[in-house]
Amino acid sequence: MTGDIKPRSSGFSRRPEGTRAVLWCPSKPRRGARYGSEGGTLTTDPTAEARIPGVAMQAHGLTKRFKKKVALDNVDLSIPAGSVTALVGPNGAGKTTLIKVCMAFERPNSGHVEVDGVDPWKHRSAALRRVGYVPQTPAVYRGLSVEDHLSMARSLHSTFDTEYSRRRLSQLGIPLDQRADTLSGGQAAQLGLAIALGTRAKVLLLDEPLANLDPLARREFIQVLVDAIRTDGSTAVLSSHIVTDVEEACDRLAILGNGKILLDCPLHEARQQHILTDSAAPPKGGVAIGSFAGKGLTRLTLWRMPEAGAGVTAGGDAAPAPDTASLEEVVLGYLAAGRGTTGLQLN
């Protein structure tokens, strides 16, 4: 496939004859990205990919640098099929970079990633057929209606379920004839979700989709996402800063800080295996994760325990009863650890 693809006056992009539609995605890969194992070509589905049963997405030793900045630092991550994983971390932690590598928008310096058993850099078209993507900033085309966006998605994705997306938007009260540039930020995000779900992709990658939504739209977004995953059996990775929202939606937690995976476990383990104390006396067997300021500037320390519950101090004295850590406190403790406030194994 050679030559530039120029937009028509209607705002749509003409697809060259003989090429196969893969996935509508307004965001573009960075300059110089390849479209398959042979540069400049769209490769067919791989026939000998090593799929691990029960795993929807996995990364091994994934490293990505931007000049001197390390965005991803030897990341190992495994996302079980059918799960909803909260990918949590501060700005600059590497969340968006990880998603872009999975979409073949950024090439890793080392390591590799697989989406439903397919390496997106070896078989980009095959990988993208398995992915529904909602970017951080909703990508809409000025002058096109909501219905135009669905028609464009249908023209670029042979299995796109237009009626499903229409029903989803109708339930939210978003008119199909409304111009995209008149949508609110929340409505634009809902349009992006409706298109991603309409692809019926096996893996959904959502990059901070809740950031521009009001509380009601945020809850509706989460409810539709969870219902779709339960119905279709798909898998989602939801990147967000809003810990309380991801707690409601997700069953797994992955904390990313300074390009490293700090914690990766089921949500119930994150709750059960961590306690919080405001005392200098450590619980027996606890591993100090990180310390941060609580209410009233009280210094709180998050501990990872072999078993949830209170312990005794190293000297044998009874320790103050610790509090079970909330999910937000677990995240705060690990982010503090990522900044260097860590502890050692204590007996």
Side-chain angles (χ1 to χ4, degrees), residues 226-304:
V226 173
D227 288 344
I229 289 170
R230 289 174 178 171
T231 301
D232 301 339
S234 53
T235 305
V237 177
L238 175 60
S239 169
S240 179
H241 290 127
I242 308 172
V243 179
T244 53
D245 284 339
V246 299
E247 184 173 15
E248 177 184 351
C250 301
D251 50 35
R252 290 189 60 84
L253 175 65
I255 303 176
L256 191 62
N258 292 328
K260 296 178 179 291
I261 294 293
L262 305 177
L263 179 68
D264 176 23
C265 69
L267 218 60
H268 70 274
E269 288 186 11
R271 296 192 188 100
Q272 294 173 359
Q273 296 183 0
H274 295 86
I275 61 174
L276 200 66
T277 70
D278 59 3
S279 170
K284 183 179 180 180
V287 178
I289 300 300
S291 298
F292 56 92
K295 295 181 179 179
L297 299 182
T298 302
R299 198 69 179 170
L300 301 176
T301 300
L302 181 73
W303 304 83
R304 186 180 181 97

Side-chain angles (χ1 to χ4, degrees), residues 128-336:
L128 290 184
R129 280 194 294 272
R130 292 161 166 81
V131 174
Y133 175 53
V134 180
Q136 181 175 5
T137 301
V140 296
Y141 293 88
R142 296 177 60 86
L144 297 186
S145 69
V146 171
E147 178 66 30
D148 287 338
H149 283 76
L150 301 185
S151 297
M152 180 160 55
R154 180 68 180 89
S155 71
L156 296 176
H157 199 294
S158 59
T159 60
F160 185 78
D161 191 339
T162 306
E163 288 304 316
Y164 173 85
S165 295
R166 286 173 179 161
R167 289 195 303 271
R168 160 74 181 127
L169 294 168
S170 176
Q171 291 169 356
L172 293 169
I174 300 177
L176 296 178
D177 60 355
Q178 184 170 348
R179 281 169 52 112
D181 55 357
T182 66
L183 295 174
S184 67
Q187 289 175 323
Q190 295 286 7
L191 173 58
L193 176 61
I195 291 174
L197 293 176
T199 64
R200 298 302 195 188
K202 292 185 178 181
V203 179
L204 300 172
L205 300 178
L206 303 102
D207 188 5
E208 299 278 5
L210 307 178
N212 297 322
L213 302 185
D214 62 57
L216 180 59
R218 194 177 295 155
R219 179 171 291 272
E220 291 173 340
F221 187 105
I222 290 297
Q223 288 175 341
V224 170
L225 175 64
V226 173
D227 288 344
I229 289 170
R230 289 174 178 171
T231 301
D232 301 339
S234 53
T235 305
V237 177
L238 175 60
S239 169
S240 179
H241 290 127
I242 308 172
V243 179
T244 53
D245 284 339
V246 299
E247 184 173 15
E248 177 184 351
C250 301
D251 50 35
R252 290 189 60 84
L253 175 65
I255 303 176
L256 191 62
N258 292 328
K260 296 178 179 291
I261 294 293
L262 305 177
L263 179 68
D264 176 23
C265 69
L267 218 60
H268 70 274
E269 288 186 11
R271 296 192 188 100
Q272 294 173 359
Q273 296 183 0
H274 295 86
I275 61 174
L276 200 66
T277 70
D278 59 3
S279 170
K284 183 179 180 180
V287 178
I289 300 300
S291 298
F292 56 92
K295 295 181 179 179
L297 299 182
T298 302
R299 198 69 179 170
L300 301 176
T301 300
L302 181 73
W303 304 83
R304 186 180 181 97
M305 304 296 295
E307 294 181 1
V312 297
T313 63
D317 298 328
D323 294 326
T324 301
S326 68
L327 187 65
E328 183 177 18
E329 290 164 340
V330 171
V331 171
L332 289 173
Y334 276 91
L335 293 182

Side-chain angles (χ1 to χ4, degrees), residues 38-104:
E38 295 81 27
T41 63
L42 290 173
T43 58
T44 58
D45 280 350
T47 58
E49 293 287 352
R51 289 179 174 84
I52 299 179
V55 176
M57 192 177 83
Q58 55 184 335
H60 298 288
L62 201 62
T63 297
K64 174 62 183 177
R65 301 183 184 88
F66 295 99
K67 295 183 179 180
K68 294 183 179 180
K69 177 177 174 55
V70 179
L72 297 174
D73 189 0
N74 198 33
V75 167
D76 289 322
L77 184 64
S78 182
I79 305 296
S83 66
V84 185
T85 298
L87 182 62
V88 179
N91 290 330
K95 304 187 300 298
T96 296
T97 301
L98 177 59
I99 290 176
K100 286 184 175 181
V101 169
C102 294
M103 297 287 295

